[in-house]
């Protein structure tokens, strides 16, 4: 931990911004314009390049120069043989990895970094110390995002057993990631347990931003268990916290809160809550919530308007796109088409971590099966819901 902290401090953004002249429209000027191939540089020259790469990365990160970040990551991985002997090389890769791992457009780079770091540590589970454990945490996050939850679960279970209890920051992150992994795995009681453990440590260490994200996971688990009122209360407190911290997650919380309110069938409140979102940040997720709420309130024109808005939304979620298709079918009221679509949709939601959505869709499916007097099939899905609960 201290090594990485010292490395960040000695290569911080302030230093990078003071020396603005090191940044150029041609990122490779330091490496290619010398007339000398990087493979020919001495160790001291290579260390200077690595030092510059760190400063450049933070410069590109702060000023949202994503293409430059991708070029830099590719450069660092293209010359692993040259850099691998340097003390700070893996530290820099881990810092970059932890920074980009949850960003979809950097998924290719995240996977490449994970493959290199995993190979460089040889057998992670035989390694000890903060550095490798820090890497393993974010590797678990990546595998969860890549629908490889069994690998993520194995990694986090190893970390839970082997992390030094005195490394509070690592321990609390283990709890937080475990809550996500067990939610994805459908083990909601265990996810809840880790949310409580993380909450206790986060409050003790005054880590309010991470506490906010942990509580969002907690609310998600509560919603999946059908405890909508408590989930709504937790999301409402999360929203207050995000506003106090001026955290950019406010829009996400408003969408999650609206979803829970929709499950509670308070459709006017869904619309009022969604109206708080900046129109430039409207996603197709918010659009389907608007559309479904207006449909339930009998305003078909507004419903159609929001279906079209959802198709044009910049921020896209596949599950929300599926909901927009469903709502369009609900408008047309072809029962057989609705039922066929619901069967596939609820099955796909169950295979993800969207258990609240899965329950909502299954109840809707049962409603329409009853409408066509398919009682035996309705009982089958009702039993499926009971088995899940």
């Amino acid at each position: 931990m201290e090594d990485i902290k010292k490395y960040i401090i000695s290569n911080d953004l302030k230093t990078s911004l003071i020396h603005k002249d090191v940044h150029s429209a041609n990122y490779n000027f330091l490496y290619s314009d010398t007339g000398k191939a990087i493979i020919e540089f001495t160790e001291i020259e290579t260390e200077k390049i690595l030092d510059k790469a760190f400063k450049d990365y933070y410069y590109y990160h702060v000023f949202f120069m994503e293409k430059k970040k991708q070029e830099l990551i590719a450069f660092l991985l293209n010359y692993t043989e040259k850099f691998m002997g340097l003390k700070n090389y893996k530290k820099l890769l881990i810092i970059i990895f932890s920074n980009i791992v949850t960003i979809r457009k950097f998924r290719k780079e995240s996977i490449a970094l994970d493959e290199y770091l995993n190979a460089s540590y040889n057998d992670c589970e035989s390694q000890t110390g903060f550095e490798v454990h820090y890497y393993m945490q974010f590797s678990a996050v990546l595998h969860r995002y890549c629908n490889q939850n069994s690998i993520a679960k194995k990694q986090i279970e190893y970390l839970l057993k082997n992390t030094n209890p005195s490394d509070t920051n690592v321990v609390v992150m283990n709890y937080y990631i475990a809550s996500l992994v067990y939610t994805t795995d459908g083990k909601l009681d265990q996810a809840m347990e880790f949310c409580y453990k993380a909450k206790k440590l986060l409050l003790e260490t005054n880590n309010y931003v991470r506490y906010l994200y942990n509580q969002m996971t907690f609310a998600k688990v509560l919603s999946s268990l059908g405890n909508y009122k408590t989930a709504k209360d937790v999301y409402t407190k999360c929203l207050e916290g995000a506003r106090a911290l001026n955290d950019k997650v406010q829009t996400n919380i408003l969408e999650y809160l609206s979803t829970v309110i929709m499950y509670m069938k308070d459709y006017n409140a869904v619309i009022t809550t969604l109206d708080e979102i900046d129109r430039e940040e409207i996603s197709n997720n918010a659009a389907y919530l608007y559309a479904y709420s207006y449909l339930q309130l009998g305003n078909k024109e507004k419903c159609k308007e929001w279906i079209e808005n959802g198709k044009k939304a910049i921020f896209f979620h596949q599950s929300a796109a599926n909901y927009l298709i469903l709502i369009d079918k609900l408008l047309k009221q072809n029962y057989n088409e609705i039922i066929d679509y619901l069967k596939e949709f609820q099955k796909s939601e169950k295979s993800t971590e969207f258990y609240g959505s899965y329950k909502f869709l299954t109840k809707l499916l049962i409603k329409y099966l009853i409408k066509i007097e398919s009682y035996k099939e309705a009982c089958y899905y009702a039993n499926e819901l009971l088995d899940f609960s």
Side-chain angles (χ1 to χ4, degrees):
M1 176 81 173
E2 288 305 313
D3 283 346
I4 287 184
K5 278 184 178 176
K6 287 176 184 174
Y7 184 54
I8 292 173
I9 290 167
S10 64
N11 295 277
D12 65 12
L13 180 61
K14 184 194 282 187
T15 307
S16 185
L17 292 177
I18 288 170
H19 298 92
K20 288 183 182 177
D21 58 301
V22 302
H23 305 293
S24 163
N26 177 9
Y27 172 74
N28 286 313
F29 83 99
L30 184 76
Y31 318 120
S32 59
D33 292 356
T34 59
K36 184 177 180 182
I38 187 167
I39 206 70
E40 299 171 13
F41 279 108
T42 65
E43 184 174 332
I44 292 174
E45 288 173 323
T46 309
E47 283 180 349
K48 287 181 179 178
I49 290 170
L50 191 65
D51 181 71
K52 178 188 182 299
F54 185 97
K55 292 169 180 156
D56 282 357
Y57 178 78
Y58 268 85
Y59 183 86
Y60 300 150
H61 175 64
V62 168
F63 292 103
F64 305 104
M65 300 168 72
E66 295 179 342
K67 181 66 176 173
K68 293 290 186 183
K69 282 166 69 173
Q70 290 172 325
E71 289 174 0
L72 186 148
I73 294 166
F75 172 80
L76 289 170
L77 290 174
N78 283 340
Y79 294 100
T80 52
E81 290 185 10
K82 187 66 180 175
F83 289 121
M84 64 191 301
L86 301 182
K87 177 184 175 184
N88 290 322
Y89 179 53
K90 277 199 288 191
K91 290 187 179 72
L92 174 56
L93 294 186
I94 292 170
I95 289 166
I96 294 173
F97 181 56
S98 67
N99 180 252
I100 67 171
V101 72
T102 60
I103 305 173
R104 185 181 294 275
K105 66 176 61 178
F106 284 96
R107 192 56 44 81
K108 178 182 174 183
E109 288 79 11
S110 295
I111 291 170
L113 285 166
D114 184 57
E115 288 175 351
Y116 174 76
L117 289 165
N118 186 55
S120 71
Y121 284 117
N122 192 15
D123 177 10
C124 285
E125 293 191 7
S126 69
Q127 305 283 335
T128 58
F130 173 82
E131 187 176 299
V132 68
H133 285 178
Y134 187 71
Y135 154 66
M136 282 183 73
Q137 285 182 330
F138 287 97
S139 180
V141 171
L142 176 65
H143 284 112
R144 176 180 170 272
Y145 273 100
C146 292
N147 298 318
Q148 297 173 316
N149 205 58
S150 59
I151 298 173
K153 186 178 175 184
K154 182 183 176 186
Q155 289 174 310
I156 202 64
E157 286 178 347
Y158 171 81
L159 289 169
L160 288 166
K161 290 177 184 176
N162 292 280
T163 299
N164 187 332
S166 64
D167 289 337
T168 307
N169 289 329
V170 184
V171 171
V172 75
M173 190 66 174
N174 285 344
Y175 292 158
Y176 175 66
I177 296 171
S179 70
L180 299 176
V181 168
Y182 283 110
T183 299
T184 301
D185 208 33
K187 296 183 177 178
L188 302 178
D189 288 341
Q190 286 175 273
M192 186 86 76
E193 179 187 340
F194 283 112
C195 281
Y196 280 123
K197 286 183 176 181
K199 176 182 177 180
K200 182 175 181 294
L201 270 182
L202 289 165
L203 289 176
E204 287 175 359
T205 55
N206 299 322
N207 189 339
Y208 298 117
V209 173
R210 181 59 66 189
Y211 169 74
L212 173 65
Y213 282 81
N214 179 72
Q215 288 300 94
M216 287 168 62
T217 303
F218 179 47
K220 184 176 183 178
V221 174
L222 287 167
S223 177
S224 297
L225 291 168
N227 194 342
Y228 301 133
K229 185 179 183 303
T230 308
K232 179 186 172 184
D233 291 343
V234 174
Y235 275 134
T236 301
K237 288 179 180 177
C238 285
L239 185 60
E240 291 170 2
R243 284 171 173 162
L245 294 166
N246 197 26
D247 195 283
K248 61 184 180 181
V249 79
Q250 292 175 53
T251 297
N252 300 83
I253 297 173
L254 284 166
E255 287 185 2
Y256 301 153
L257 177 58
S258 299
T259 304
V260 172
I261 297 171
M262 182 188 74
Y263 294 158
M264 298 172 75
K265 301 182 180 181
D266 189 351
Y267 303 114
N268 283 310
V270 171
I271 293 166
T272 303
T273 305
L274 290 170
D275 283 345
E276 296 184 48
I277 298 174
D278 187 323
R279 278 292 168 269
E280 292 183 0
E281 296 184 12
I282 287 289
S283 68
N284 66 341
N285 196 57
Y288 101 74
L289 292 165
Y290 268 121
Y292 187 79
S293 297
Y294 277 119
L295 178 63
Q296 298 307 307
L297 292 169
N299 192 334
K300 292 185 178 180
E301 289 308 309
K302 275 286 188 181
C303 174
K304 290 176 184 176
E305 179 187 325
W306 277 103
I307 290 173
E308 291 307 310
N309 289 342
K311 291 175 183 177
K312 295 179 285 188
I314 296 172
F315 301 101
F316 176 87
H317 305 276
Q318 185 56 56
S319 179
N322 294 339
Y323 264 106
L324 288 168
I325 294 169
L326 171 63
I327 295 164
D328 188 51
K329 292 182 184 297
L330 293 175
L331 266 172
K332 294 169 183 173
Q333 283 295 291
N334 182 319
Y335 290 174
N336 288 324
E337 276 193 20
I338 291 169
I339 288 167
D340 289 343
Y341 190 78
L342 278 168
K343 285 179 181 178
E344 292 304 313
F345 191 9
Q346 66 96 25
K347 189 189 299 181
S348 71
E349 294 291 88
K350 187 179 181 181
S351 68
T352 67
E353 65 204 74
F354 304 125
Y355 298 115
S357 173
Y358 156 71
K359 287 183 173 181
F360 172 77
L361 292 168
T362 305
K363 289 175 183 176
L364 199 58
L365 174 57
I366 293 167
K367 172 185 171 180
Y368 278 93
L369 286 168
I370 291 171
K371 280 179 181 288
I372 63 167
E373 299 182 359
S374 183
Y375 300 119
K376 185 176 180 181
E377 211 174 355
C379 286
Y380 169 81
Y381 284 103
N383 286 328
E384 187 180 279
L385 264 185
L386 287 172
D387 289 342
F388 180 82
S389 300

